[in-house]
Amino acid sequence: MWLFLVTEVMLFGGLFVAYIIFRNLYPEMYHEAHHHLNKVMGAINTIVLIFSSWTMATAVGMAQRNEPKKSFRYMAVTIVCACVFLVIKFFEYEHKFHEGLLPGGYFDAAKNGLTHPKADLFFSLYFMMTGLHGLHVLVGMSLIVWVMWRTKRGDFNSHYYTPVEMSGLYWHLVDLIWIYLFPLLYLIG
Amino acid sequence: MEKSGKPESHGSHDSPHHITPLNVYGRVFGSLICLTIITVATSYCDFGSLNILIAMAIATIKALLVILFFMGLKYEGQENNVTFFCSFVFLAIFVGLTSSDLLYRSTPEPVKPDASELTMSGPPADVQKLVKPTPELVAKGKALFTQNCVTCHGGEGKGDGPAAAALTPKPRNFTATEGWKFGRTVSGIFKTVTNGSPGTPMPPFAGLSAEDRFAVAHYVRTFMSSAPEDTGADVAALTKEVGTPPKPHLSVERAMEKVAEEWAAGHPAGK
Amino acid sequence: MASTTHDDQEYVDYIHESKGIWSWMTTLDHKRIGIMYLVTTMIFFTVAGFLAVALRLEHWTPQQTIMGADTYNKVFTLHGAIMVFLFIIPSIPGSLANFLLPLMIGAKDVAFPRLNLFSYYLYVIGAVMACWAILFGQGVDTGWTFYTPYSIKTGSSVVTVVFAVFIAGFSSILTGLNFIATIHKLRAPGMTFHRMPLFVWATYATSILQVLATPVIGITMVLLAMERILKIGIFDAKLGGDPILFQHFFWFYSHPAVYIMILPGMGIISELIPVFSRKPIFGYRAIAYSSLAIAAISFLVWGHHMFVSGQSDLSNFIFSLLTVLVAVPTAIKIFNWTSTLYKGSIRLTTPMLYALGFVFLFSIGGLTGLFLAALSVDVHLTETYFIVAHFHYVMMGGTVMAMLGGFHYWWPKMFGRMVPEGPSRIGWFFVFTGFNVVFLPQFWLGSHGMPRRYYNLR
């Protein structure tokens, strides 16, 4: 799984490279554009995701300690958090659509008043990065649901809980990516 | 996607994997929340270029907490540590070398345009004099013709030059009497040479001075058996036209400079 | 061979241990998966080979011979894309490494056998998608490099093919992942790293490249698809992006990719030469570490594909300098192989002929690569047939020779039959001679200015 996480780092890394390059080319544009992102929603999402990482780590801990029922419950909380994250994201996206803050060719400056000619780039990156991240949230959720099902079936004990741990690692990576996405997109301009 | 059965940390035997105490998780969670609050708070203050450094430093601390404790890398063997952190090394290479291109493209010095640059070379021509053929003009015209026109119009002006095979419509046969768009007078040929013939492969030769173009026109007329003459009205009109400066026209070098200058204006941080 | 101790069961080999196509399609045996890769990759080699023949036929006359300009563009694109993504990259890792790696380190199978099968199916799905685009879509006419801005604007089936590449890329990633885990975790007791056969070292280096580099082509393909579908603008100058950024993204993978192509081949040569010189390999550690060094340095040099793209002068300088470094570990290998031959008892069997052919042809290809690493030379030779000759010498004169040598050498192991020596030597002769006849003149053609990817030259 660690090897697979390496590939995920490289995959997202490409997007971060693009972000860094364009940021260095157009710093004022980033500054102007990022104000159109809702910091509060972003911060709440950050806290939700960190909390879900905590519950997932605890779920793994419970599996290690031969407590499948508790493990199951902590994983369930993790899933709830993930859903909350996605719902908030949905509202953010909806808001963007209304403001015409869309990628590239669909960017509508008339609706949002951003005058920089390259402003659409910021939102292209925003949607690509958060979109790919959201996709990974969904994948992570499916993994956790699968592991929850296996837990209920009694597949795991303190000698064998590898799938729980592996899904946990994947989930933590999803959190890790968000830990960088949040300041880069929402906070710094 | 197969995720089960990845014996990363404990080979083929079930060695006891380090069990992190739950209060460690709790404390890590607490720290992460504090750090999040700090990073959001600092984003409301303006520390200039420090903001990004602070944000990235905090993000990295949070990331390390997640990696070392939630993901348990602190308790993993060297293999997994090296593997995971290796990926960031290569990412850094990717960023670094790509930046060496994208951020270090050179921008040429912006050049202020000069009104006089936008006009043609040379003062307005003396049309009354040039409209009459002289041996010097015809000789000059022949030299220019050989250089610029023979490829299409042929050495004998019959419109049968080497390039003519590929052209549609075919280049003008100067010995023919029919089919001339602008007429066979000096002014007519002068106009054709100056403006080209739109819709045909004949290009404008406005880069040649007016005198040169008159010279060519006179030479072309030597291919004709009975060349018509300009009327007084034709000459008057031509004088008016040629006497005034032509429409602004840029040389290729100047055009390239202007493109570079416009690009630079749109990419202020290109250095 | 030997029967088991507690009953009279006769040994049945992996080919005959179960019958029927379903048993093959659901196998978890690395040997069967290796054979399936072998068959599939050779099919695509043949397909792309026919496309190449078509290209050569078109150049029989300076005017149109058998195809129009548009078709020509599609044919050379597909020749490249199929050869790179559906043949060379999966070929040796998928077939020979899959088959031999566990055997060479004393493991029962790879670390994740189901993942192995899944990798094979991902490859097949990617291949089918690509074929779909060719047969029922518009094909692709951008060149296998998919350079923007043309790849954004063209009406051909770019999105289908880039998704096919994305999926096939995952096959490569998961294979690499599998092999690293296998080498780290499943070596038999006593099989230390420094006792592993050099083919295993080569596979290890290749797998690291696959895991680190391939995700970047993944995201690049996604970004290109998004650029076409959603017009995100990241590569489109009109929307604020930079077309050269695409080239950076593309070559960050595709340069390590060419080392994914050659390293396993070098591993095979490291196995063949000692055997047929009856001598231990000269400089085991040097060869082992140079494989890793090639892998590491390969990440630093991608910009040498972009010397005339318009990237900054600083980049050009850096990449030219770094590129010459990669010649060092490569040269170490060549010297070591040659030193192994010295005072050896050489038998010119077919595998040895291929191995010696490799050393000769790869040296030519590699040296011409060094010419091209020099910025000032590359500026003149780029996009000419010199480049075409260079990469065919390393990829075909290199990898394909090594692969054929490997197939001949390990054929008895894989299929229980000896390869008839006479006919296979004749085969070698045709491969070697034919290859040189086609590609050697291209060095001259290129240095005299013949451009590549041109439909005809009048």
Side-chain angles (χ1 to χ4, degrees):
Chain A
M1 176 51 83
W2 285 103
L3 276 172
F4 187 73
L5 296 183
V6 163
T7 71
E8 293 281 18
V9 167
M10 294 306 284
L11 190 81
F12 274 93
L15 293 176
F16 279 100
V17 168
Y19 173 94
I20 292 171
I21 301 269
F22 285 119
R23 188 196 170 84
N24 276 303
L25 286 174
Y26 310 118
E28 359 51 62
M29 181 270 280
Y30 272 57
H31 187 82
E32 207 193 323
H34 100 278
H35 284 300
H36 283 254
L37 293 178
N38 190 329
K39 267 191 221 191
V40 173
M41 285 172 123
I44 295 178
N45 260 350
T46 309
I47 295 180
V48 164
L49 221 49
I50 292 177
F51 183 73
S52 75
S53 248
W54 183 35
T55 54
M56 191 61 201
T58 314
V60 176
M62 289 298 133
Q64 282 176 324
R65 291 165 173 77
N66 227 353
E67 303 249 28
K69 287 212 183 79
K70 288 195 187 161
S71 178
F72 186 90
R73 280 184 222 136
Y74 276 103
M75 284 194 271
V77 174
T78 311
I79 296 283
V80 168
C81 291
C83 290
V84 169
F85 178 88
L86 289 175
V87 164
I88 296 181
K89 262 258 134 315
F90 170 75
F91 280 118
E92 279 187 279
Y93 277 17
E94 204 192 6
H95 180 254
K96 300 280 172 315
F97 277 47
H98 279 145
E99 297 258 304
L101 291 164
L102 292 174
Y106 300 101
F107 189 77
D108 192 346
K111 279 198 197 153
N112 55 56
L114 276 174
T115 49
H116 196 287
K118 309 281 194 289
D120 56 308
L121 264 183
F122 180 83
F123 290 97
S124 295
L125 283 169
Y126 170 79
F127 278 103
M128 278 298 308
M129 292 168 97
T130 57
L132 193 64
H133 179 258
L135 200 65
H136 282 75
V137 169
L138 284 170
V139 169
M141 285 168 75
S142 335
L143 280 178
I144 297 177
V145 166
W146 172 65
V147 167
M148 282 168 74
W149 180 70
R150 287 190 68 185
T151 306
K152 240 216 161 22
R153 268 195 351 177
D155 283 357
F156 304 125
N157 53 56
S158 51
H159 290 292
Y160 175 68
Y161 52 89
T162 311
V164 189
E165 191 182 1
M166 298 295 119
S167 306
L169 284 182
Y170 191 84
W171 188 253
H172 292 305
L173 186 83
V174 167
D175 184 28
L176 204 55
I177 294 170
W178 184 260
I179 283 176
Y180 277 99
L181 278 186
F182 173 59
L184 284 177
L185 291 172
Y186 290 79
L187 295 185
I188 47 182
Chain B
M1 178 75 53
E2 275 299 315
K3 288 290 186 292
S4 64
K6 286 201 203 285
E8 282 299 339
S9 43
H10 35 240
S12 48
H13 59 283
D14 283 332
S15 61
H17 190 49
H18 177 274
I19 298 186
T20 317
L22 291 173
N23 61 8
V24 169
Y25 289 153
R27 289 200 302 232
V28 168
F29 171 68
S31 320
L32 287 169
I33 298 295
C34 286
L35 287 167
T36 309
I37 295 173
I38 295 175
T39 197
V40 173
T42 49
S43 75
Y44 284 106
C45 315
D46 184 6
F47 296 111
S49 52
L50 271 186
N51 267 87
I52 183 169
L53 282 167
I54 296 175
M56 284 297 101
I58 296 180
T60 307
I61 297 174
K62 287 165 79 178
L64 282 171
L65 283 173
V66 171
I67 293 174
L68 292 173
F69 294 104
F70 278 172
M71 295 168 91
L73 200 56
K74 185 168 188 293
Y75 311 108
E76 295 273 357
Q78 205 189 20
E79 267 168 8
N80 288 333
N81 269 287
V82 168
T83 307
F84 194 65
F85 286 113
C86 235
S87 56
F88 292 101
V89 169
F90 284 99
L91 205 53
I93 293 175
F94 191 10
V95 170
L97 287 175
T98 309
S99 304
S100 79
D101 167 25
L102 274 278
L103 304 180
Y104 286 92
R105 303 250 179 95
S106 55
T107 54
E109 284 288 310
V111 178
K112 292 278 170 291
D114 192 345
S116 66
E117 287 185 309
L118 296 176
T119 58
M120 289 265 291
S121 48
D126 185 352
V127 177
Q128 302 287 351
K129 201 170 103 190
L130 290 169
V131 92
K132 298 188 187 49
T134 67
E136 295 83 16
L137 270 179
V138 171
K140 190 181 202 190
K142 180 171 182 187
L144 288 164
F145 186 87
T146 312
Q147 205 175 31
N148 294 296
C149 319
V150 162
T151 345
C152 297
H153 286 283
E156 283 156 40
K158 292 217 177 86
D160 56 355
L167 298 176
T168 311
K170 294 277 173 276
R172 179 70 55 220
N173 179 348
F174 298 137
T175 60
T177 50
E178 295 305 317
W180 291 73
K181 274 202 186 122
F182 301 110
R184 299 188 293 151
T185 58
V186 176
S187 58
I189 299 176
F190 179 84
K191 282 207 194 89
T192 313
V193 174
T194 309
N195 301 316
S197 181
T200 73
M202 172 66 185
F205 285 90
L208 297 173
S209 72
E211 192 182 316
D212 285 346
R213 284 177 271 138
F214 274 112
V216 169
H218 287 303
Y219 178 68
V220 164
R221 281 161 62 83
T222 63
F223 294 118
M224 302 175 198
S225 44
S226 56
E229 293 298 332
D230 281 299
T231 63
D234 287 334
V235 177
L238 197 59
T239 313
K240 203 155 152 239
E241 212 178 287
V242 179
T244 53
K247 284 203 277 293
H249 154 92
L250 292 180
S251 65
V252 172
E253 291 76 29
R254 181 70 195 107
M256 284 169 66
E257 283 167 16
K258 281 193 75 64
V259 166
E261 173 200 331
E262 281 163 24
W263 191 92
H267 296 70
K271 194 77 180 19
Chain C
M1 210 182 69
S3 33
T4 55
T5 50
H6 59 275
D7 57 13
D8 292 327
Q9 246 184 333
E10 254 196 49
Y11 170 77
V12 185
D13 60 66
Y14 74 98
I15 295 184
H16 299 104
E17 53 96 8
S18 57
K19 288 199 178 359
I21 197 164
W22 187 249
S23 74
W24 279 82
M25 285 172 66
T26 53
T27 183
L28 296 178
D29 184 350
H30 67 101
K31 301 187 284 297
R32 283 192 166 195
I33 295 176
I35 302 297
M36 293 201 286
Y37 265 109
L38 190 150
V39 171
T40 321
T41 52
M42 292 315 279
I43 290 175
F44 283 107
F45 181 48
T46 317
V47 168
F50 277 121
L51 290 172
V53 171
L55 292 174
R56 291 284 101 212
L57 277 178
E58 175 56 35
H59 279 285
W60 187 274
T61 68
Q63 300 88 19
Q64 171 165 340
T65 316
I66 51 169
M67 59 177 93
D70 229 19
T71 313
Y72 186 83
N73 289 349
K74 292 184 186 171
V75 172
F76 75 65
T77 304
L78 290 168
H79 166 73
I82 294 176
M83 278 295 191
V84 168
F85 294 114
L86 300 184
F87 167 60
I88 279 205
I89 287 181
S91 63
I92 302 181
S95 60
L96 283 173
N98 239 324
F99 196 99
L100 298 168
L101 176 65
L103 299 177
M104 285 183 167
I105 58 173
K108 278 195 196 151
D109 204 307
V110 292
F112 308 119
R114 279 174 292 186
L115 197 64
N116 204 2
L117 185 66
F118 185 63
S119 293
Y120 175 70
Y121 280 120
L122 282 178
Y123 162 66
V124 170
I125 291 172
V128 166
M129 277 184 80
C131 291
W132 185 275
I134 300 167
L135 294 170
F136 304 112
Q138 307 291 326
V140 194
D141 60 348
T142 57
W144 82 275
T145 47
F146 299 113
Y147 276 5
T148 53
Y150 183 65
S151 55
I152 302 176
K153 296 197 273 204
T154 178
S156 56
S157 309
V158 174
V159 174
T160 317
V161 175
V162 301
F163 267 119
V165 170
F166 181 80
I167 292 177
F170 264 93
S171 164
S172 191
I173 293 174
L174 296 175
T175 301
L177 193 153
N178 220 337
F179 288 167
I180 295 179
T182 310
I183 292 172
H184 272 265
K185 294 291 176 192
L186 297 187
R187 282 167 290 124
M191 171 64 74
T192 62
F193 263 91
H194 289 97
R195 287 188 186 152
M196 297 194 309
L198 286 169
F199 180 67
V200 178
W201 275 100
T203 306
Y204 184 51
T206 310
S207 305
I208 293 176
L209 285 175
Q210 285 175 298
V211 164
L212 277 172
T214 321
V216 178
I217 193 80
I219 193 74
T220 312
M221 296 288 105
V222 169
L223 283 173
L224 183 61
M226 290 296 111
E227 183 73 56
R228 277 177 74 90
I229 299 173
L230 292 179
K231 306 192 204 337
I232 54 175
I234 189 174
F235 300 132
D236 189 346
K238 283 201 304 288
L239 294 170
D242 188 344
I244 301 190
L245 189 64
F246 175 84
Q247 294 190 26
H248 279 290
F249 270 66
F250 181 83
W251 286 112
F252 185 81
Y253 163 71
S254 299
H255 190 79
V258 313
Y259 293 99
I260 294 176
M261 298 176 206
I262 194 65
L263 278 171
M266 290 175 162
I268 295 179
I269 302 305
S270 301
E271 297 290 332
L272 296 181
I273 289 193
V275 166
F276 294 103
S277 325
R278 307 273 183 113
K279 255 187 83 188
I281 189 88
F282 181 92
Y284 171 91
R285 284 197 187 210
I287 297 193
Y289 295 155
S290 65
S291 299
L292 294 177
I294 291 176
I297 302 178
S298 71
F299 277 101
L300 305 177
V301 302
W302 76 87
H304 66 231
H305 298 271
M306 299 164 55
F307 282 148
V308 295
S309 63
Q311 66 178 354
S312 69
D313 293 335
L314 178 65
S315 277
N316 273 345
F317 171 68
I318 294 177
F319 281 119
S320 183
L321 196 61
L322 290 173
T323 304
V324 301
L325 283 183
V326 80
V328 174
T330 316
I332 290 177
K333 286 188 192 268
I334 303 265
F335 288 139
N336 284 8
W337 290 325
T338 324
S339 308
T340 309
L341 293 171
Y342 177 65
K343 286 201 177 167
S345 165
I346 302 197
R347 284 186 307 144
L348 289 178
T349 59
T350 309
M352 187 56 160
L353 288 171
Y354 279 111
L356 293 176
F358 175 99
V359 174
F360 175 64
L361 296 174
F362 180 76
S363 297
I364 294 178
L367 281 173
T368 52
L370 210 49
F371 302 162
L372 296 169
L375 175 60
S376 43
V377 176
D378 184 84
V379 166
H380 295 283
L381 294 176
T382 191
E383 299 308 312
T384 66
Y385 263 80
F386 194 90
I387 306 268
V388 176
H390 158 70
F391 65 69
H392 280 96
Y393 261 81
V394 287
M395 291 205 288
M396 182 147 167
T399 307
V400 174
M401 292 282 158
M403 189 184 75
L404 291 173
F407 284 163
H408 281 88
Y409 179 58
W410 279 299
W411 195 270
K413 178 74 184 166
M414 296 197 281
F415 300 109
R417 280 163 209 232
M418 300 304 288
V419 181
E421 224 4 65
S424 47
R425 282 191 204 183
I426 296 175
W428 171 84
F429 174 77
F430 277 112
V431 171
F432 185 81
T433 321
F435 169 80
N436 278 298
V437 166
V438 173
F439 290 107
L440 195 61
Q442 292 183 358
F443 284 121
W444 275 275
L445 288 175
S447 61
H448 282 265
M450 179 174 175
R452 58 186 283 218
R453 293 178 170 174
Y454 270 41
Y455 150 65
N456 62 29
L457 303 149
R458 295 219 331 249

